Amino acid sequence: MSKPQDLRVRRVGIDTWRENVAYLHRNCAVVRAAGFQALSKVLVKANGAAINAVLNVVDDDCIVQPDELGLSEDAFARLNVEAGHPAHVLPAEPPPSLPALRRKIAGERLDRKDLHAIIRDVAQARYSKIELAAFVVATNGYDLERDEVLYLTEAMIDAGRRLDWQHAVRGGPVVDKHCIGGIPGNRTSMLVVPIVTAHGMLCPKTSSRAITSPAGTADTMEVLAEVELPFERLRHIVRDTNGCLAWGGTAGLSPADDILISVERPLAIDSPGQMVASILSKKIAAGSTHLVLDIPVGPTAKVRSIDAAQRLRKLFEYVAGALNLHLDVMITDGSQPIGRGIGPVLEARDVMQVLRNDPEAPMDLREKSLRLAGRVIEFDPDVRGGDGWRIARDILESGRALAQMEALIDAQGRRATPLPLGELTHEVCAPQTGVVRAIDNLQLAQVARLAGAPQVPGAGVDLLCKVGDAVQAGAPLYRIHAQYPADLAFARDRSGRDNGYTVGAA
């Protein structure tokens, strides 16, 4: 087309999850003139702004008229013009990094320039979900060499904004704690952060949303407070309270990570190289200089053996060392869920019980959090090695950690109305009398997700028995919570086929 035709922008209320999608009517003159087909990549221009989008061709006038350009929620927000504003559509040029992606698909090793180009295009939304999926699959497993993981991490940091706290700590450590995930209920970060910030350390904790789990730290903290904090607001909160528990996406920290997660989630892929790049890019972008990393090991954890954990540890240490991040790796027990709740509301309940020193609080969550917080506190040059756990315990038992958590919640924006627990329930019972020998993390996580977690915060699984507990035949092992009948039916069906518990003779 020599001169693009103006179309009126229409906001189409469809959540395309981190992908820009444009909608044109099949009878639109632009479609006929340019020969556009469904899934073509187009360039949308309006008011001096431009975005790349994937085209969907529409036959229903109720969705979009022939003289309109429909935009998905993501595309509408990114283009940032009012509905009805004139815009025009052109064929999009292929992403400059596409040849590098094709070489990676063919199994070639990529250099620093290649990976920086790919991540730059990812962050600027030049890749379709199909191309993103190709990149995620091509870099799955250990298909990335360790230098490629380093370059990928660098690229993800450079694609976004960075926080710098050195003026605030006068050269002292900026600390963080992170778990690689895979263990339901493992909300230790929500206890570590208030403990170490009450000690006076700076801990700007930013987290991703859940990828394959029923809840992430950001999903659970959102039960209590706002987590989508703009860059400057996050900066002020950390200056005022020493820390935060926020989602990193809104602040623009490692933005390519959240785009890649949008593909990793449905594919249930969380490969070692991508995991290292995702975690370390977020930590470094948030300004952390010292990190305690939790790698749980168990038969149904992400990491199944000590050998695999040591291999992953070496990869983390190599990349962290090259980027001047001081890393302390803890290999922990991942044989069963931590705490009792699986799902945002249930996990928030467990966290607050621990902070309140409630006698009913889950002791495994409490003890693991204290061990991790103790290791973080030992980054303090004034603390002797081995004293961290005692300091962390004193902060928790004195109520200082609870007071600090309340301050963080208020600073981020306390939720006015508590989110309810799912009212629809179903109890899964022991098939025989005996002792709980094992709990399958993957099965319990899947049951909780089918119940609606994390999209429905009050959905999930409440564990009533843990490994080593004696049970009677017919006694409840756990309770499923759901908000909608269909979700409860899905979770019941899954638990009926495999309840995730192994009960053996006493």
Side-chain angles (χ1 to χ4, degrees), residues 293-364:
L293 182 71
D294 175 17
I295 301 180
V297 178
T300 56
K302 283 184 181 179
V303 178
R304 305 294 175 87
S305 69
I306 292 295
D307 285 347
Q310 294 291 5
R311 186 178 180 185
L312 183 59
R313 175 183 192 156
K314 289 178 181 177
L315 182 57
F316 267 108
E317 289 175 340
Y318 171 75
V319 176
L323 296 173
N324 297 314
L325 176 68
H326 186 96
L327 183 66
D328 181 8
V329 176
M330 292 180 63
I331 296 175
T332 61
D333 178 14
S335 60
Q336 65 172 327
I338 301 292
R340 288 192 296 269
I342 303 175
V345 169
L346 289 163
E347 293 178 28
R349 175 205 65 188
D350 286 357
V351 167
M352 296 310 295
Q353 283 181 337
V354 173
L355 287 168
R356 291 170 182 146
N357 293 296
D358 188 325
E360 298 298 317
M363 292 303 296
D364 56 348

Side-chain angles (χ1 to χ4, degrees), residues 114-454:
D114 291 330
L115 283 160
H116 277 251
I118 288 173
I119 294 303
R120 186 163 51 248
D121 283 342
V122 169
Q124 294 176 2
R126 291 175 176 162
Y127 273 22
S128 68
K129 282 282 177 70
I130 295 171
E131 291 161 337
L132 288 170
F135 176 71
V136 167
V137 172
T139 56
N140 191 26
Y142 280 95
D143 293 328
L144 284 176
E145 296 183 8
R146 68 176 195 169
D147 281 342
E148 289 181 292
V149 178
L150 172 59
Y151 304 151
L152 178 61
T153 308
E154 290 175 341
M156 290 171 70
I157 295 167
D158 290 347
R161 305 179 74 176
R162 294 185 68 168
L163 293 168
D164 183 357
W165 306 106
Q166 289 310 305
H167 62 285
V169 295
R170 296 187 179 91
V174 179
V175 301
D176 205 343
K177 168 267 159 192
H178 197 89
C179 177
I180 67 166
I183 308 300
N186 193 24
R187 291 283 73 80
T188 54
S189 292
M190 291 180 65
L191 293 161
V192 171
V193 171
I195 290 172
V196 302
T197 54
H199 177 67
M201 305 183 84
L202 208 67
C203 184
K205 173 68 177 172
T206 60
S207 303
S208 299
R209 300 284 189 178
I211 301 175
T212 58
S213 71
T217 297
D219 302 299
T220 304
M221 184 64 181
E222 197 168 33
V223 172
L224 307 173
E226 293 179 35
V227 297
E228 297 191 1
L229 306 174
F231 189 86
E232 287 303 322
R233 186 175 169 202
L234 187 148
R235 187 196 298 272
H236 287 305
I237 288 169
V238 175
R239 283 176 177 166
D240 291 342
T241 66
N242 286 342
C244 65
L245 283 155
W247 177 51
T250 313
L253 307 176
S254 188
D257 183 43
D258 289 295
I259 296 172
L260 291 172
I261 285 172
S262 72
V263 173
E264 293 167 359
R265 177 181 288 151
L267 291 175
I269 286 178
D270 198 6
S271 70
Q274 294 160 7
M275 181 194 305
V276 170
S278 172
I279 292 172
L280 296 187
S281 67
K282 282 282 176 69
K283 301 302 118 184
I284 294 170
S288 297
T289 61
H290 293 65
L291 172 67
V292 169
L293 182 71
D294 175 17
I295 301 180
V297 178
T300 56
K302 283 184 181 179
V303 178
R304 305 294 175 87
S305 69
I306 292 295
D307 285 347
Q310 294 291 5
R311 186 178 180 185
L312 183 59
R313 175 183 192 156
K314 289 178 181 177
L315 182 57
F316 267 108
E317 289 175 340
Y318 171 75
V319 176
L323 296 173
N324 297 314
L325 176 68
H326 186 96
L327 183 66
D328 181 8
V329 176
M330 292 180 63
I331 296 175
T332 61
D333 178 14
S335 60
Q336 65 172 327
I338 301 292
R340 288 192 296 269
I342 303 175
V345 169
L346 289 163
E347 293 178 28
R349 175 205 65 188
D350 286 357
V351 167
M352 296 310 295
Q353 283 181 337
V354 173
L355 287 168
R356 291 170 182 146
N357 293 296
D358 188 325
E360 298 298 317
M363 292 303 296
D364 56 348
L365 177 62
R366 180 184 189 275
E367 292 305 314
K368 182 173 183 180
S369 299
L370 287 176
R371 286 192 291 119
L372 291 164
R375 293 284 279 267
V376 175
I377 287 172
E378 287 174 11
F379 286 140
D380 183 344
D382 295 328
V383 173
R384 291 186 305 173
D387 284 350
W389 181 87
R390 177 187 56 78
I391 294 171
R393 182 201 60 193
D394 291 347
I395 291 171
L396 178 63
E397 292 182 351
S398 69
R400 290 166 57 202
L402 175 60
Q404 179 68 3
M405 182 58 138
E406 297 289 358
L408 288 169
I409 291 170
D410 285 334
Q412 291 185 202
R414 184 181 296 270
R415 182 174 286 277
T417 305
L419 291 174
L421 192 57
E423 296 178 354
L424 304 178
T425 63
H426 170 70
E427 289 186 345
V428 176
C429 299
Q432 66 185 61
T433 297
V435 174
V436 177
R437 300 296 184 191
I439 301 176
D440 189 320
N441 290 308
L442 296 174
Q443 287 293 340
L444 269 294
Q446 185 64 17
V447 170
R449 286 180 67 86
L450 287 170

